[in-house]
Amino acid sequence: MDTQWLVSIEDVPLDDPAVQIVDVREAWEYDAIGHLPGAVNIPFEQFRDDASADPGTLPGQSVFESLLGESGIAPDGRIIAYDDTHGVFAARFLLTAIVYGHTNVSLLDGDFSAWKRTRAISTDTPEVSSVEYSRPPVALDRDGSPLVDTETVESLLESGTVTLIDTREPHEYAAGHLPGAIRLDWMELVDTESRGIRPAAEIEAVLEEREIPTDRSQPIVLYCNTARRLSHTYVVLRSIGFEDVRVYEGSLTVWDGPLEADPTDPNQ
């Protein structure tokens, strides 16, 4: 099925047994502050591991599948994830799921704070029956994978056929970025009032201002420092129709090539 990248607060199917809502905040927030009714808690630190054999902070397929199975998520189940930081940690959870082959995923368009403005929250821990979650081993370099490695990034830079986007803050970009990268701070795509994603027309205007091609078939590679912020931009771009978006999972933690500095970035 086609991925429904975003789900509005009004459209969250709380009573659908085929849907699992995942809260990626810390356990104390989930327990003490409350959560969406029926949501299970998979904290951010449980699905990242910079010491695993997989690149970046990916935890490894077996670890991630265990987390999903223990939370009652079946291989064909639908996941809706949220956090309380405009969706950036939740997007990281969804990107991790996609990498390991679980594509039936959605991001709550808005976060916990946005939800509780108008909707009820719960402090009850739902009863969840664990399930067997198992897929054949996923090749991270398979066709259709969102991941690219350093060698691929180097090749794409030489070819000039890709739009390389730096999703970090202006001061980070100015201090040093990959050659030819265009800065697009992930927060520029967030509506700070609604705490969700900005309207598509506004995003389009930001992209045009940065001279980022808006041809939906244009190859794009995203990076940041530890592949968290790029995850949010990945979900946003896919949600407005960009077809060929990939991520440099290792990002600047593994890049050992040249960097460009731009202390006079006019878009700061």
Side-chain angles (χ1 to χ4, degrees), residues 5-8 86-87 107-111 114 183-210 212 216 232-233 235-242 267:
W5 291 103
L6 302 178
V7 175
S8 69
H86 305 290
L107 179 70
L108 182 65
D109 191 7
D111 56 14
R183 183 180 66 77
L184 181 66
D185 185 339
W186 75 275
M187 274 295 293
E188 294 179 81
L189 308 183
V190 171
D191 183 322
T192 55
E193 177 58 31
S194 71
R195 301 183 66 84
I197 307 304
R198 292 175 68 177
E202 294 182 12
I203 294 173
E204 192 95 7
V206 173
L207 299 180
E208 291 175 353
E209 175 191 346
R210 297 297 163 79
I212 295 172
R216 282 358 190 211
H232 188 274
T233 305
V235 171
V236 173
L237 293 180
R238 293 303 309 271
S239 76
I240 62 172
F242 282 86
N267 295 307

Side-chain angles (χ1 to χ4, degrees), residues 53-212:
D54 285 353
T57 60
L58 290 170
Q61 183 173 348
S62 62
V63 171
F64 194 71
E65 289 183 347
S66 293
L67 288 173
L68 297 187
E70 290 166 4
S71 298
I73 301 171
D76 60 350
R78 183 181 176 196
I79 297 169
I80 299 176
Y82 73 91
D83 55 32
D84 202 16
T85 45
H86 305 290
V88 68
F89 292 96
R92 178 59 188 170
F93 179 82
L94 299 182
L95 180 58
T96 303
I98 291 166
V99 166
Y100 293 127
H102 194 117
T103 57
N104 195 357
V105 299
S106 301
L107 179 70
L108 182 65
D109 191 7
D111 56 14
F112 178 74
S113 290
W115 173 277
K116 70 179 181 179
R117 289 174 182 170
T118 59
R119 295 288 189 274
I121 61 173
S122 174
T123 55
D124 296 332
T125 301
E127 294 185 7
V128 174
S129 298
S130 62
V131 300
E132 181 69 25
Y133 190 111
S134 180
R135 291 180 182 275
V138 173
L140 300 184
D141 59 352
R142 70 191 187 280
D143 289 343
S145 172
L147 301 185
V148 295
D149 58 16
T150 299
E151 183 178 349
T152 301
V153 171
E154 291 172 338
S155 175
L156 290 170
L157 286 175
E158 290 180 6
S159 71
T161 59
V162 69
T163 300
L164 186 64
I165 296 179
D166 185 318
T167 64
R168 301 174 303 155
E169 295 182 40
H171 71 92
E172 296 173 289
Y173 176 86
H177 53 268
L178 268 62
I182 301 172
R183 183 180 66 77
L184 181 66
D185 185 339
W186 75 275
M187 274 295 293
E188 294 179 81
L189 308 183
V190 171
D191 183 322
T192 55
E193 177 58 31
S194 71
R195 301 183 66 84
I197 307 304
R198 292 175 68 177
E202 294 182 12
I203 294 173
E204 192 95 7
V206 173
L207 299 180
E208 291 175 353
E209 175 191 346
R210 297 297 163 79
E211 300 184 349
I212 295 172

